[in-house]
Amino acid sequence: MAETISRAVPVPSPDRRTEEAATGSLISYVLPVYDEQDGLRRFHRELLAATATRPDLEYEFVYVNDGSRDGSLQVLRELAEADPRVRVLDFARNFGHQIAITAGLDHAEGDAVVVMDTDLQDPPAVSIEMIDAWRGGAEIVSARRRTRRDTRFKRLTAHSYYRLLHNLAEVDIPVDTGDFRLLDRRAAEELRGFRERSRFIRGMVASMGFQQTEVLFDRDERAAGETKYPLRKMVRLAADGVTGFSTAPLKLITRIGFLSLGLAALGILYAVALRLFFPQITVSGWTMIMVVMLFLGGVQMLSLGVIGSYIGRIYDEVRQRPLYIVRKVIRHDGG
Ligand code: UDP
Ligand code: MG
């Protein structure tokens, strides 16, 4: 289905990971779950079927129950009871997709870590291609969507957003790539060091460097249930991507500032000239004053808004609240 393409500069010597050396390696799956009770069993079945095609590797499955309100936790308990390789982190409430992934990464112990959604939109078979690319020497393997089957609105907004972000961001964030990704142990360790609160993980990964490769895939529809990313959450994530990895809004203010200053200077000259040379009609300058004042007022309000959004981020960071609270770690032995 998907083909492997190499994006970055020439593949370096696959130092330690030859086929044999990787045998016996532990692969961790980080699997965020929010209200997925209807599709979860099928997802796990398909994931097991996929991993069974590489029996020379060890696996652990780290599910993160992100405060599901449905029966997802019960399903996860059953999966953990049936298989010692399954671990479940049960969040005390819904902390959001990006935080759920972060918690899973913190608890994953593998030589490579695969992050994927649990609604079967990220096909388990593609993760096997990622593992093969990792064995070939790649340190980070991202899955890039060749096609996606979402609503027209989602496709359109996602398409434009990824391209806008790609142009604005100071790091090279690949287009049409979500959080479906494999990270080598080293890369995963580095990613754990990013503790910022407004999290845009694909940006952090892009900013880390390492040997990065892509696999292309066709994104399926959700197996069951509906999207947990309503417009509100999508907009927040999109804003985190821009403010977290670009200062374009700040630069824009500076530009507008200079422009308004220039216009103001012209306006002042005009008003003064009018007063000096045509004193009999200066009353009409009232219009001018109103225009300038309104214009400056608008610019100032806009500037305050953007500065405010950065102050908001500082506020978030300064509070240093825990990123998440794990109520319990569920293991095979029920402990
Ligand atoms: N998810 C989560 N917490 C949330 C929202 C989503 O853990 O607050 C999980 C969800 O269970 C799924 C993945 O993140 O495994 C992606 O969410 P979803 O499929 O709803 O997003 P979409 O694919 O529509 O962008
Ligand atoms: Mg989905």
Side-chain angles (χ1 to χ4, degrees):
M1 175 171 61
E3 56 193 283
T4 307
I5 56 162
S6 188
R7 194 162 56 85
V9 254
V11 177
S13 58
D15 39 18
R16 60 218 141 87
R17 281 193 316 273
T18 56
E19 280 289 316
E20 295 90 77
T23 298
S25 295
L26 177 66
I27 310 290
S28 303
Y29 279 86
V30 167
L31 307 161
V33 175
Y34 181 47
D35 290 356
E36 304 283 5
Q37 64 173 8
D38 297 327
L40 208 47
R41 281 195 187 83
R42 184 173 147 210
F43 167 79
H44 193 69
R45 236 183 358 257
E46 293 196 12
L47 184 57
L48 289 185
T51 52
T53 63
R54 296 292 181 279
D56 57 321
L57 299 171
E58 307 278 329
Y59 298 93
E60 66 170 0
F61 305 104
V62 183
Y63 282 96
V64 182
N65 178 37
D66 185 14
S68 297
R69 298 154 299 180
D70 66 357
S72 297
L73 181 61
Q74 191 48 41
V75 177
L76 292 174
R77 261 186 224 284
E78 286 164 23
L79 297 181
E81 264 160 38
D83 189 342
R85 299 173 304 174
V86 173
R87 254 188 299 157
V88 180
L89 308 181
D90 180 25
F91 275 5
R93 66 165 166 86
N94 178 250
F95 282 87
H97 181 212
Q98 302 286 302
I99 303 285
I101 292 175
T102 305
L105 276 165
D106 288 345
H107 286 81
E109 290 164 4
D111 301 299
V113 184
V114 179
V115 177
M116 67 189 290
D117 292 354
T118 52
D119 57 0
L120 281 172
Q121 283 198 292
D122 299 339
V126 175
S127 72
I128 302 301
E129 290 177 44
M130 292 174 163
I131 292 170
D132 291 342
W134 171 71
R135 290 174 125 181
E139 289 172 301
I140 296 176
V141 188
S142 304
R144 176 162 163 190
R145 301 182 269 257
R146 182 164 39 198
T147 57
R148 62 189 296 167
R149 283 198 251 143
D150 283 304
T151 60
R152 177 182 277 271
F153 174 74
K154 176 105 180 203
R155 285 201 315 256
L156 194 78
T157 49
H159 184 88
S160 343
Y161 174 69
Y162 280 116
R163 273 141 196 93
L164 175 78
L165 185 65
H166 188 78
N167 288 327
L168 288 185
E170 279 129 27
V171 295
D172 190 13
I173 301 178
V175 296
D176 300 331
T177 306
D179 290 311
F180 185 15
R181 188 170 278 111
L182 177 144
L183 298 159
D184 177 59
R185 179 202 283 278
R186 281 289 306 124
E189 273 167 12
E190 290 306 319
L191 189 56
R192 280 181 206 122
F194 284 69
R195 304 315 288 181
E196 63 199 70
R197 258 121 246 282
S198 303
R199 300 182 76 74
F200 189 70
I201 291 175
R202 58 202 81 162
M204 299 176 200
V205 171
S207 75
M208 289 196 311
F210 287 110
Q211 180 58 40
Q212 306 213 9
T213 306
E214 294 178 342
V215 293
L216 286 174
F217 78 112
D218 299 297
R219 192 155 212 241
D220 293 330
E221 267 164 303
R222 251 183 175 273
E226 53 194 39
T227 177
K228 309 304 170 335
Y229 263 98
L231 193 60
R232 180 176 49 83
K233 278 191 188 173
M234 245 165 67
V235 169
R236 195 193 304 160
L237 184 69
D240 282 345
V242 173
T243 50
F245 294 91
S246 159
T247 50
L250 278 177
K251 287 180 189 140
L252 186 66
I253 302 186
T254 322
R255 282 200 201 122
I256 294 176
F258 276 123
L259 189 70
S260 64
L261 218 65
L263 289 175
L266 288 180
I268 289 164
L269 279 181
Y270 174 73
V272 170
L274 215 60
R275 178 74 186 79
L276 288 180
F277 301 119
F278 305 98
Q280 70 279 16
I281 53 164
T282 39
V283 148
S284 68
W286 180 83
T287 319
M288 182 70 188
I289 290 168
M290 283 308 282
V291 168
V292 170
M293 275 177 58
L294 287 174
F295 178 69
L296 286 183
V299 168
Q300 283 167 353
M301 288 309 286
L302 180 69
S303 312
L304 282 178
V306 180
I307 292 171
S309 73
Y310 282 88
I311 292 176
R313 283 176 63 89
I314 296 171
Y315 177 55
D316 262 359
E317 302 298 334
V318 164
R319 280 189 300 183
Q320 292 288 322
R321 282 189 188 155
L323 272 184
Y324 56 83
I325 303 160
V326 176
R327 188 188 288 133
K328 195 175 174 199
V329 180
I330 298 162
R331 288 175 194 281
H332 173 61
D333 54 16

